[in-house]
Amino acid sequence: MRKGLFYGLLFTSPAILGFIIFTLGPMIASLVLSLTDYNVFKEQTSFIGFQNYSRMFSGEDELFFKSLGVTFYFVILRVPAVIILSFCIAMLLNMNVRGRAIFRTIIYLPSIVPAVASAMIWMWLLNPDLGLINSVLSWLHLPTSNWLYAENSVIPSVVLTTLWGIGSTVIIFLAGLSGISKQYYEAIDVDGGGWYSKLRHITIPMVTPTIFFNTIMTIIGSFQVFNEAYILTEGGPNNQSLFYVFYLWRTGFRDTEMGYASALAWILFIVIMFFTFIVFKTSKSWVHYEGGERT
Amino acid sequence: MTRQKKSLFVLMALLLMLVTILSACSKSGTVSKNNTSPSASGDGASSDAASKDPVTLRISEWGSPDEVAAYKVAIKKFEAKFPNVKVDLQHIATDYDTKLTTMVAGNDVPDIAMMESGTIAFPLAEQGKFYNLQEFMDSDPDISIDKLVPNIMYSLEPGNVIGIGPGPESFGLFYNEDIFKEAGISPPPAKASEAWTWDEFVDVAKQLTVDSKGRTAKDADFDPKNIKQYGVNASTWWGVYSNFIYSNGGDFISEDGKTFALNQPEAVEALQKVSDLMNVHHVSPSPVQAKNIPATNVALQTKKVAMAIDGQWASAALAQSKFNFNVGVLPVLKEPGTTIVAGMFSIFKSTKHPQESWELLKALLDPESSIDMITSGTWMPSYKNWYTDPALLAKWTENLDARPSAYKEAIIDVLLTKSHQTPTGYVKNFNKIMDIVNPALDKVWLGQQTAQEAMDSIAPKAQEQVQGRRDIAQ
């Protein structure tokens, strides 16, 4: 038994050590640093209490609220889009059609394209004058847009570009869908229900744990959006895509105000924790666990 | 037996891991000692001869493969001259500032670094991380301010030089000669004294802006939505529009360094005129349309644009494109002129070998070392005598694809006599000011606001970030 424990610790030690050294340590360090005026280039760092935090909330730093607002807008648009779209795609991929494996591969493929590469592709696709999307739209006599280059369309455009990489969410949904026992559907068939009854009374309730999981992961991922601002928009036009993490990065690495950037990071941590907590709290009323009791 | 063997292996592997981790820790521990060695600013300059002990210098830079090749030539020559010194070239191709910041945070900095005036160079200098190169220059007969081209030195304050650029870069009006010949229009003048006024410039640009049905921007039924050839490409980068602000007698901040000045009439007029090129005259692509315009060499060659306002570094690519291009002086608002932009080499205070570093920096500035870069068109020499001595000048301006016929007058003469320092070099807190200015200018470039409205609306906020100038004693 003790030997088992020893081997267990031994083989998990890379992960545990990795977590302590590269995650927990830096987190504690950043919490401490967020209470200082740590600037990489300055010799002296002094403890300033909660000044970094008051600087954010007093309105002195307008870009804090701006970037937070931009990020919220992004999250609110993106999370439902990702969940609904990937659920629908998973449903289609779950059907028993020929070449199912190929379709599944195709859907997952964009997820392994490097973020920079797919951002560049989207930059060309969304180009207002030469891009494929506007060309097709104008060929169909539909209204075109300036996409990434106009203030009101930049965030929806960025959401659109990120939908391209939902492969992994789809895969998780697929796993959830294939776990549903056929007997339930047969019961509906016997009762004379159609596809809608199946969806409404079997499929959706049965995949709520998956929806729950995916929602939380998508919320966390969406709050941390960075590559798109870094590559596609640089925060423009008129700061309309100044995502929080991009602003945080700029504060830390361009303005070298690491103390303040740490404080920004902790606020983001709290925001994400808060939303995750809310989803967890509400989950009791809508997530259904097979064999578990609904409370 | 085998089982025991296995566990022995596992233990050894674990031990190895531990050793690696520990050795990594101790290594960074020794490096951090460097930082604690106190070095007064004069130390490096006063030590006379370079010591003969083996020395390794570390230099970090970014740059294209061509530039790296030039650095390697310079380093090879330097190592031949100082056999005891070895140079370790650290090429950081992307995220240079992020990586350098991390290196500083970890007390693991190079001896010499290529720095960009617009980013972390001044924040580092303000914390006393760089040597004052003036002190080296004072005791070095080989190099002095007078021997260098103007505006390639960066100073934290008067007398405190933190970096010297390996070469100046100025702006010009590059154009496709064939387009002008076909249209029967005389090309942009080469001499600064004959430079176009803004109105003349706009008029020519209009004649050369052609829509898909062959009508020019001068025609009444011209269709600005379907432009085949733009008269000019003026980018919305500050490097480009600063030329016209200075030409109009304007500035980013006032002469005494106390007031935000982009909302003053001279600057506003220049900004408005650049915006009008896009939104009123339709002779230059708007920021949205500009996404379709390829690099200057391709844009000019394929006749997507007739003229392009660009840095002289464009010469290298233009030369490779093999078509009839030439260069003229920029249009003039009040005074002819050009903004000089250049990277710089700085020496970190933490270096143990300041004298050797200084010698290396000099080697990197030497035009002989980077002659390939200079003749190919990317760089220009940093020493004045390469411009004034006819033999030296001929070396890099004559019979070369990258140096068209008007080059000497349009680029070199203006650079030597009428150049202006880049705003990043003298405006304190430039980045923070531009964080406020740039979003407002987005609206000007898109034609949604006038330059006056936009700059007035952010002036109070921008004023809060004004901290003075580096080129005057305060």
Side-chain angles (χ1 to χ4, degrees):
Chain A
M1 194 58 214
R2 283 194 54 181
K3 210 169 177 186
L5 181 71
F6 171 74
Y7 280 118
L9 285 176
L10 185 68
F11 287 117
T12 49
S13 62
I16 294 170
L17 278 178
F19 173 75
I20 292 173
I21 296 170
F22 297 112
T23 307
L24 193 65
M27 273 182 80
I28 294 167
S30 95
L31 185 61
V32 174
L33 287 174
S34 77
L35 302 174
T36 67
D37 62 353
Y38 176 49
N39 178 322
V40 179
F41 300 160
K42 278 190 186 139
E43 294 294 338
Q44 280 189 335
T45 299
S46 45
F47 188 78
I48 56 167
F50 287 96
Q51 268 181 43
N52 282 330
Y53 294 95
S54 65
R55 177 173 153 194
M56 281 176 225
F57 292 104
S58 66
E60 185 189 331
D61 179 9
E62 287 176 27
L63 291 180
F64 166 70
F65 285 114
K66 176 82 194 169
S67 61
L68 205 57
V70 165
T71 310
F72 271 132
Y73 179 34
F74 177 77
V75 171
I76 287 165
L77 279 188
R78 180 168 187 260
V79 174
V82 167
I83 298 299
I84 293 168
L85 191 69
S86 52
F87 179 74
C88 293
I89 293 174
M91 291 274 289
L92 290 173
L93 291 180
N94 199 36
M95 291 195 304
N96 214 350
V97 291
R98 227 204 278 202
R100 196 165 67 160
I102 293 170
F103 288 120
R104 288 184 177 186
T105 313
I106 289 170
I107 290 294
Y108 190 71
L109 218 52
S111 305
I112 51 173
V113 174
V116 177
S118 68
M120 296 302 287
I121 292 168
W122 277 100
M123 229 151 114
W124 288 324
L125 288 176
L126 291 173
N127 186 302
D129 286 354
L130 293 179
L132 180 71
I133 295 179
N134 266 5
S135 304
V136 171
L137 285 177
S138 62
W139 186 68
L140 295 171
H141 297 285
L142 290 168
T144 58
S145 163
N146 277 339
W147 302 110
L148 292 166
Y149 309 105
E151 279 185 50
N152 48 9
S153 61
V154 60
I155 294 287
S157 305
V158 175
V159 171
L160 187 70
T161 68
T162 64
L163 290 183
W164 155 264
I166 56 173
S168 49
T169 319
V170 173
I171 297 286
I172 295 168
F173 267 125
L174 260 176
L177 286 172
S178 53
I180 301 172
S181 167
K182 290 247 182 331
Q183 292 164 351
Y184 296 115
Y185 293 116
E186 284 161 5
I188 295 255
D189 282 334
V190 170
D191 288 349
W195 67 270
Y196 177 75
S197 312
K198 285 182 187 169
L199 181 72
R200 170 74 186 76
H201 298 289
I202 306 292
T203 313
I204 290 180
M206 293 298 279
V207 293
T208 45
T210 320
I211 295 178
F212 174 58
F213 175 78
N214 276 335
T215 306
I216 285 184
M217 296 315 279
T218 312
I219 288 176
I220 294 173
S222 302
F223 269 113
Q224 296 174 344
V225 56
F226 171 77
N227 284 331
E228 283 69 19
Y230 188 64
I231 301 157
L232 288 178
T233 63
E234 289 169 45
N238 195 13
N239 284 338
Q240 208 53 47
S241 63
L242 187 77
F243 290 121
Y244 193 87
V245 179
F246 180 69
Y247 176 56
L248 190 160
W249 169 83
R250 201 170 84 178
T251 311
F253 285 98
R254 197 201 66 189
D255 305 339
T256 67
E257 295 179 53
M258 287 289 179
Y260 187 59
S262 297
L264 284 171
W266 273 91
I267 292 296
L268 181 67
F269 180 74
I270 290 165
V271 168
I272 293 177
M273 285 288 281
F274 174 75
F275 280 94
T276 311
F277 176 75
I278 297 259
V279 178
F280 256 102
K281 269 278 165 202
T282 60
S283 72
K284 276 185 188 155
S285 61
W286 60 272
V287 176
H288 167 79
Y289 289 105
E290 201 174 358
E293 268 180 51
R294 277 179 86 163
T295 45
Chain B
M1 183 65 196
T2 45
R3 226 198 155 115
Q4 269 182 342
K5 236 183 184 172
K6 254 185 200 164
S7 60
L8 204 74
F9 268 119
V10 171
L11 267 176
M12 273 175 66
L14 195 75
L15 210 73
L16 259 170
M17 261 174 58
L18 262 173
V19 169
T20 332
I21 292 167
L22 284 178
S23 64
C25 292
S26 64
K27 194 179 171 196
S28 64
T30 47
V31 171
S32 67
K33 272 185 200 155
N34 289 349
N35 200 41
T36 52
S37 69
S39 42
S41 54
D43 271 8
S46 55
S47 68
D48 308 313
S51 69
K52 290 281 169 266
D53 302 329
V55 164
T56 304
L57 291 178
R58 199 148 62 95
I59 170 171
S60 68
E61 47 76 30
W62 69 85
S64 63
D66 292 1
E67 287 170 290
V68 177
Y71 296 140
K72 282 190 177 149
V73 172
I75 287 168
K76 217 173 182 184
K77 277 191 181 173
F78 170 80
E79 285 179 334
K81 201 172 159 196
F82 297 91
N84 61 318
V85 186
K86 244 194 73 59
V87 178
D88 174 13
L89 183 73
Q90 201 170 3
H91 177 63
I92 303 173
T94 56
D95 286 335
Y96 185 85
D97 291 334
T98 310
K99 277 173 192 153
L100 202 64
T101 305
T102 316
M103 282 154 77
V104 172
N107 282 324
D108 179 30
V109 284
D111 301 280
I112 294 187
M114 183 91 196
M115 301 300 304
E116 169 80 58
S117 60
T119 60
I120 58 173
F122 283 109
L124 275 168
E126 277 161 8
Q127 298 305 322
K129 299 278 189 197
F130 293 139
Y131 269 107
N132 179 357
L133 302 180
Q134 183 67 53
E135 287 163 14
F136 291 95
M137 270 190 277
D138 287 345
S139 55
D140 196 319
D142 299 340
I143 188 169
S144 71
I145 295 178
D146 301 333
K147 285 184 181 169
L148 297 170
V149 222
N151 294 317
I152 58 166
M153 274 194 316
Y154 293 92
S155 302
L156 185 60
E157 62 213 7
N160 187 352
V161 178
I162 61 156
I164 304 176
E169 291 289 2
S170 66
F171 290 87
L173 189 59
F174 292 88
Y175 61 93
N176 183 329
E177 282 186 318
D178 294 340
I179 295 180
F180 280 87
K181 256 181 220 153
E182 284 157 23
I185 301 167
S186 52
K191 281 199 177 85
S193 56
E194 294 162 9
W196 279 336
T197 63
W198 192 266
D199 291 338
E200 287 170 333
F201 166 63
V202 170
D203 190 64
V204 173
K206 274 184 169 172
Q207 293 175 49
L208 294 172
T209 303
V210 185
D211 70 10
S212 53
K213 296 216 171 94
R215 297 168 296 211
T216 72
K218 289 197 89 118
D219 294 329
D221 53 352
F222 170 72
D223 176 14
K225 288 221 149 67
N226 286 304
I227 294 173
K228 201 177 72 186
Q229 171 183 296
Y230 287 97
V232 66
N233 185 13
S235 98
T236 53
W237 174 40
W238 57 258
V240 168
Y241 65 71
S242 66
N243 284 294
F244 304 117
I245 291 177
Y246 296 139
S247 171
N248 207 25
D251 206 328
F252 288 71
I253 56 172
S254 63
E255 256 171 63
D256 61 2
K258 288 188 177 135
T259 337
F260 174 69
L262 283 181
N263 63 339
Q264 296 304 304
E266 298 87 2
V268 164
E269 191 188 356
L271 291 171
Q272 190 60 53
K273 280 186 156 45
V274 174
S275 167
D276 287 350
L277 289 179
M278 304 161 192
N279 300 302
V280 175
H281 308 303
H282 304 291
V283 296
S284 177
S286 73
V288 174
Q289 292 157 336
K291 304 282 171 190
N292 306 331
I293 304 293
T296 292
N297 58 325
V298 181
L300 287 178
Q301 188 183 22
T302 58
K303 301 186 176 176
K304 197 99 176 100
V305 299
M307 302 179 275
I309 300 167
D310 205 342
Q312 82 81 35
W313 58 82
S315 312
L318 283 163
Q320 283 164 11
S321 292
K322 307 277 177 210
F323 68 100
N324 294 324
F325 80 95
N326 213 328
V327 61
V329 284
L330 296 176
V332 166
L333 287 168
K334 281 186 191 138
E335 282 292 316
T338 181
T339 308
I340 302 291
V341 292
M344 66 177 109
F345 284 116
S346 300
I347 301 178
F348 271 97
K349 267 268 175 65
S350 53
T351 177
K352 282 183 188 156
H353 313 288
Q355 201 55 42
E356 286 86 351
S357 297
W358 169 248
E359 291 297 334
L360 174 59
L361 189 148
K362 271 177 18 189
L364 290 163
L365 294 184
D366 182 6
E368 286 288 359
S369 304
S370 44
I371 191 73
D372 288 346
M373 293 284 300
I374 291 169
T375 52
S376 75
T378 309
W379 280 4
M380 298 163 90
S382 48
Y383 284 89
K384 230 185 231 169
N385 58 337
W386 280 69
Y387 297 76
T388 48
D389 179 339
L392 287 174
L393 182 64
K395 245 183 176 175
W396 65 279
T397 55
E398 276 168 23
N399 301 320
L400 292 167
D401 290 342
R403 309 299 182 193
S405 58
Y407 186 81
K408 271 193 210 172
E409 284 172 322
I411 295 287
I412 293 177
D413 289 353
V414 181
L415 179 136
L416 281 183
T417 55
K418 298 192 171 64
S419 69
H420 196 291
Q421 197 185 9
T422 165
T424 53
Y426 67 88
V427 178
K428 285 186 185 172
N429 213 20
F430 183 78
N431 278 334
K432 290 278 189 176
I433 295 173
M434 294 313 277
D435 278 349
I436 297 163
V437 170
N438 282 329
L441 281 178
D442 281 347
K443 293 190 169 177
V444 178
W445 307 138
L446 292 168
Q448 293 164 350
Q449 269 188 342
T450 67
Q452 189 73 58
E453 283 165 2
M455 290 300 101
D456 279 344
S457 71
I458 51 113
K461 261 201 284 172
Q463 180 63 42
E464 283 172 26
Q465 298 294 338
V466 171
Q467 291 176 359
R469 294 170 74 110
R470 301 185 191 283
D471 54 353
I472 51 172
Q474 276 173 332

